[in-house]
Amino acid sequence: DVLKALEHITVPGEGQNMVESGAVTNIQIFGDEVEIDVTINNPSLQARKKTEVEILKIIHREVYEKAKIKINIKVDAPTAKPKVNEIKGKPIPGITNIIAVASGKGGVGKSTVTANLAVTLAKMGFKVGLLDADIYGPSMPIMFDVANEKPLAVNVGGKSKMKPVESYGVKLLSIGFFTQRDQAVIWRGPMASKALNQMIFDAHWGELDFMLIDLPPGTGDIHLSIMQALPVTGAVVVSTPQEVALADARKGVAMFQQDSIHVPVLGIVENMAYFTPAELPDNKYYIFGKEAQNIWPRI
């Protein structure tokens, strides 16, 4: 009878009755004495008092008017996780997936891997764009054989925007298009980030299935600017198999896994694992040692 009576009471903030929600954890009856253990999620004093008063009222009315009731209320409030300010840009209309290609150390073939990924995706029928975010060492214009090209200006909705250069079915923008081939880019972080934002937002990329971003080596201003400006879908980390390169690749992976960035690492590309000379096409020479293979478990 006591349990049935308690079904008429709604748990504060839950919308279910006290029995359905599992708030009533124990009932003991000794003659005219009733002891009830109740657990609620609402930690406020008002909720505790309201629960206590409603239990007293319902039992006195529905079960036994002169019952002596003892109510033990325990509060089991869910602990709120500290809110992390996530660095993530707003979606860009027309661009479905944004993949960042990174490496901890320079010279591991990151730009080559990015270029090959872009061309392969384009050959598979996807609409692909490539942003060369390696401000201080842009190499995409040379890799795509468009070093002498310049992006044109197009009018889009009354605004003048850059039209990416197209090569091998890939739309391409790089700081290399706006500097002389032998000119060193000596910019501080804010200036480099501003140039990057212009190539992202002041360009007419159109509809893209994939935008690949060739990040500079390391973890610095450019990487943070990209995370703040764009909703990056995932990251690919490129490394060679030796320990010196892996040490920096780990840092690259750790950057993407930070709570404030939280970008899934889609995979690690092991580059330059071996070479095969033209005169001995069946031979593989593991320049960093064959035991250096399978780098993922080591990261």
Side-chain angles (χ1 to χ4, degrees):
D1 291 341
V2 172
L3 206 59
K4 280 187 179 179
L6 294 175
E7 287 177 353
H8 296 286
I9 301 173
T10 303
V11 181
E14 290 193 20
Q16 288 181 303
N17 74 55
M18 195 162 273
V19 178
E20 276 180 351
S21 68
V24 179
T25 55
N26 189 34
I27 298 174
Q28 291 185 355
I29 301 171
F30 307 96
D32 60 352
E33 293 180 9
V34 180
E35 186 170 346
I36 302 171
D37 295 337
V38 177
T39 301
I40 61 173
N41 293 329
N42 193 328
S44 69
L45 185 63
Q46 183 185 358
R48 294 176 64 156
K49 197 68 185 170
K50 184 184 176 189
T51 302
E52 194 173 332
V53 169
E54 286 187 346
I55 290 172
L56 290 170
K57 276 184 182 177
I58 201 80
I59 292 176
H60 284 149
R61 190 177 72 228
E62 302 285 335
V63 184
Y64 181 47
E65 191 179 350
K66 295 180 180 180
K68 296 170 186 175
I69 305 166
K70 183 184 177 184
I71 303 167
N72 305 313
I73 296 180
K74 179 185 171 186
V75 176
D76 185 19
T79 53
K81 289 184 180 177
K83 193 175 180 182
V84 176
N85 291 325
E86 199 168 279
I87 302 170
K88 212 169 193 70
K90 293 178 181 176
I92 298 177
I95 300 177
T96 308
N97 297 292
I98 299 172
I99 309 297
V101 184
S103 69
K105 189 166 287 297
V108 297
K110 167 185 53 62
S111 296
T112 307
V113 169
T114 309
N116 284 328
L117 280 173
V119 173
T120 302
L121 286 167
K123 283 185 173 179
M124 291 169 70
F126 293 107
K127 296 174 184 174
V128 183
L130 199 163
L131 175 66
D132 188 356
D134 196 345
I135 296 289
Y136 304 107
S139 51
M140 288 301 168
I142 295 172
M143 287 191 175
F144 279 83
D145 197 23
V146 286
N148 297 319
E149 299 283 332
K150 298 288 179 191
L152 300 173
V154 291
N155 191 294
V156 181
K159 292 182 180 178
S160 180
K161 295 206 168 191
M162 286 181 278
K163 183 184 179 184
V165 173
E166 279 200 50
S167 181
Y168 296 100
V170 177
K171 293 180 180 179
L172 177 68
L173 272 182
S174 168
I175 200 71
F177 291 132
F178 308 100
T179 58
Q180 297 299 318
R181 185 173 289 194
D182 299 327
Q183 180 186 347
V185 179
I186 309 170
W187 290 347
R188 293 189 185 275
M191 194 169 177
S193 299
K194 187 178 178 183
L196 201 57
N197 279 334
Q198 284 184 311
M199 288 195 290
I200 295 168
F201 298 109
D202 292 346
H204 180 52
W205 289 100
E207 298 285 325
L208 294 179
D209 297 309
F210 291 95
M211 175 186 269
L212 298 180
I213 303 173
D214 182 30
L215 291 172
T219 54
D221 280 352
I222 300 298
H223 304 76
L224 285 175
S225 296
I226 288 288
M227 300 307 157
Q228 287 172 333
L230 298 170
V232 179
T233 312
V236 174
V237 177
V238 182
S239 179
T240 48
Q242 80 273 38
E243 196 55 45
V244 173
L246 286 173
D248 289 340
R250 288 187 191 99
K251 293 170 190 171
V253 171
M255 175 187 73
F256 290 117
Q257 290 177 337
Q258 281 188 20
D259 289 341
S260 59
I261 294 176
H262 196 61
V263 169
V265 176
L266 305 176
I268 307 284
V269 175
E270 179 186 348
N271 201 23
M272 301 186 227
Y274 61 85
F275 78 93
T276 301
E279 65 276 11
L280 297 168
D282 296 327
N283 285 26
K284 291 180 180 178
Y285 294 89
Y286 294 89
I287 52 178
F288 301 116
K290 197 168 183 178
E291 68 280 358
Q293 286 187 302
N294 301 319
I295 64 174
W296 178 250
R298 296 160 62 199
I299 288 181

